[in-house]
Amino acid sequence: MNPVFADLPVSVFEVMSRLAREHDAVNLGQGFPDDPGPLDVRRKAAEAVVDGWNQYPPMLGLPELRTAIAAHYRRWQDLALDPESEIMVTSGATEAIAGALLALIEPGDEVVLFQPLYDAYLPLVRRAGGVPRFVRLEPPGWRFSEELLARAFSPKTRVVLFNNPLNPTGTVFGRADIELLARFCERSGAVALCDEVWEHVVFDGRRHLPLIAMPGMRERTVKIGSAGKIFSLTGWKVGFVCAAPALLRVLAKAHQFITFTTPPNLQAAVAYGLGKADDYFDTMRSDFARSRDRFADGLRSLGFPVLEAQGTYFLNIDLAPLGLNEDDEGFCRRLVAEHRVAAIPVSAFYAADPIRSVVRFCFAKRDQTLDAALDRLAGALRRTA
Ligand SMILES: Cc1ncc(COP(=O)(O)O)c(C=O)c1O
């Protein structure tokens, strides 16, 4: 068996989900919304199953969806993408990332990764033969600097896997950050693999800036999105890959032999959804921001130091100023067992030298779910107060 997968331990996510079930906890560990997602988009999918095409769709995706993706990114991110040669539909962002890593890396190539990192990245990089080089981000700002990038990049850097907005921290990297990263990519000749699944879930008037739009990056960036996050339908697993034709041609070869296609009925519904009026997207954002504020205010009033959440479904607290005698994982285990609220220790998102004081909660839940969690959290600091 291949040790990359055979030697992976049981993840903290699995442990926390099991403990949440055992203790009948309010589960704010997993990152999916309570809301069932837009009814019209779900109806379109149902209609497409009943009345539409249910055989293999084209390998690159339904033409109507690729056209809708191009129009959507022109409208929202001012990008000019050719639906025929620069857009491909995949079975979720996860397939897009796996396929891109298999297509872009040769054994021994270095891949720059930012910690904390999404759990799928490292095993996929390793299985593709890539050698990880980490940029370690720290609270409260989670920003990278020229010095941190200089330490991670080398002449062997081939790919930079960059998640913006960043799960788990909820950081939205702005123009100065991505221009700096673009300079490093250009200098080293690296391809930027941009996981932008959270691009629409940004708050307080922010607009997502795609790295592909930065000078010099158009030909060396793979931009990845996910309908699951755009429409709060995380189980749909409809992803999009956007890249210049020379890159996309190679990525398509990997896709051809991984999944080949993605369910056509879901593709039809996503094509419809991407054309929804601006107010749908604005309301989605403001509804999530309202939940974030409700939960953040509640946590603050209980004495928890709350970190800024600029995007995603996640809010973090930093235990460091509280001087507790337990780390993030110990705190989460006590929280779920004694207070019946499940959260995720952010140290689980580090492969080396973890930050051990930050805990992630998913706030994309109904008011009563958040309020129930806050009620239960009321006693969590008492023991150490
Ligand atoms: C950063 C990041 N990338 C990728 C994914 C997975 O996307 P998909 O469900 O489209 O495969 C997630 C899901 O939480 C995510 O947070």
Side-chain angles (χ1 to χ4, degrees):
M1 281 184 285
N2 188 281
V4 170
F5 292 117
D7 295 351
L8 277 180
V10 178
S11 74
V12 178
F13 302 90
E14 290 167 78
V15 171
M16 284 301 158
S17 289
R18 180 176 53 74
L19 290 174
R21 281 192 302 276
E22 275 173 28
H23 294 283
D24 192 22
V26 178
N27 193 346
L28 304 185
Q30 284 175 322
F32 61 85
D34 271 352
D35 189 276
L39 184 60
D40 55 346
V41 177
R42 287 184 287 132
R43 282 231 163 91
K44 277 279 171 204
E47 279 164 24
V49 170
V50 176
D51 304 321
W53 178 255
N54 286 284
Q55 308 307 333
Y56 292 128
M59 197 226 344
L60 291 180
L62 291 188
E64 71 198 78
L65 176 54
R66 288 192 284 147
T67 305
I69 293 166
H72 187 81
Y73 282 138
R74 178 182 292 282
R75 164 85 193 84
W76 285 94
Q77 295 175 14
D78 203 19
L79 295 175
L81 295 160
D82 173 22
E84 303 258 307
S85 62
E86 297 189 309
I87 296 178
M88 175 169 77
V89 179
T90 56
S91 294
T94 309
E95 190 224 307
I97 295 162
L101 290 170
L102 290 174
L104 296 173
I105 295 175
E106 285 202 82
D109 287 347
E110 290 187 0
V111 179
V112 171
L113 297 159
F114 295 77
Q115 302 196 89
L117 47 81
Y118 185 61
D119 60 349
Y121 294 171
L122 193 54
L124 292 174
V125 165
R126 290 210 165 111
R127 193 63 189 90
V131 178
R133 299 287 305 264
F134 297 111
V135 177
R136 182 177 182 273
L137 307 179
E138 296 178 3
W142 310 103
R143 256 38 218 198
F144 51 85
S145 62
E146 177 138 21
E147 194 195 331
L148 285 177
L149 294 185
R151 266 192 251 149
F153 276 77
S154 88
K156 287 193 190 157
T157 307
R158 286 291 165 275
V159 172
V160 180
L161 181 37
F162 181 53
N163 175 211
N164 182 30
L166 179 63
N167 171 14
T169 66
T171 310
V172 177
F173 294 99
R175 185 172 295 277
D177 303 304
I178 62 174
E179 278 179 357
L180 177 63
L181 184 57
R183 280 204 297 282
F184 272 83
C185 290
E186 256 206 297
R187 224 182 283 159
S188 66
V191 171
L193 187 50
C194 294
D195 177 345
E196 302 187 349
V197 300
W198 297 102
E199 60 198 340
H200 264 299
V201 192
V202 294
F203 310 130
D204 311 316
R206 287 186 178 78
R207 273 290 176 110
H208 170 72
L209 271 180
L211 186 61
I212 197 171
M214 293 301 111
M217 294 307 290
R218 186 67 174 77
E219 307 300 316
R220 60 171 67 261
T221 301
V222 178
K223 171 180 168 59
I224 294 173
S226 173
K229 300 299 191 288
I230 297 179
F231 298 108
S232 317
L233 295 164
T234 58
W236 274 25
K237 305 296 275 189
V238 178
F240 331 129
V241 183
C242 307
L247 275 173
L248 196 84
R249 257 196 305 277
V250 184
L251 303 181
K253 299 286 182 200
H255 169 65
Q256 181 176 0
F257 300 122
I258 301 178
T259 58
F260 182 60
T261 52
T262 297
N265 20 64
L266 297 182
Q267 290 195 50
V270 171
Y272 160 83
L274 289 174
K276 277 167 83 75
D278 290 7
D279 64 344
Y280 165 74
F281 300 93
D282 294 336
T283 305
M284 178 267 287
R285 275 192 278 274
S286 56
D287 285 350
F288 282 130
R290 202 189 52 77
S291 299
R292 174 201 61 176
D293 293 343
R294 186 182 189 94
F295 194 56
D297 290 347
L299 284 172
R300 271 192 214 101
S301 71
L302 294 174
F304 289 101
V306 175
L307 297 175
E308 191 187 3
Q310 303 173 331
T312 77
Y313 299 157
F314 306 112
L315 182 74
N316 292 274
I317 56 171
D318 190 351
L319 306 170
L322 299 174
L324 306 183
N325 54 3
E326 60 196 345
D327 64 9
D328 58 345
E329 190 173 337
F331 179 83
C332 287
R333 283 178 181 274
R334 179 165 68 83
L335 214 58
V336 71
E338 294 178 15
H339 302 277
R340 295 166 52 233
V341 175
I344 299 290
V346 165
S347 58
F349 295 84
Y350 286 77
D353 198 10
I355 297 288
R356 291 199 185 274
S357 61
V358 177
V359 171
R360 188 193 82 170
F361 296 92
C362 174
F363 59 74
K365 304 290 175 190
R366 291 193 188 91
D367 287 354
Q368 69 257 37
T369 310
L370 296 176
D371 293 348
L374 288 167
D375 273 352
R376 293 176 183 197
L377 285 166
L381 290 181
R382 208 174 293 139
R383 203 176 66 162
T384 46

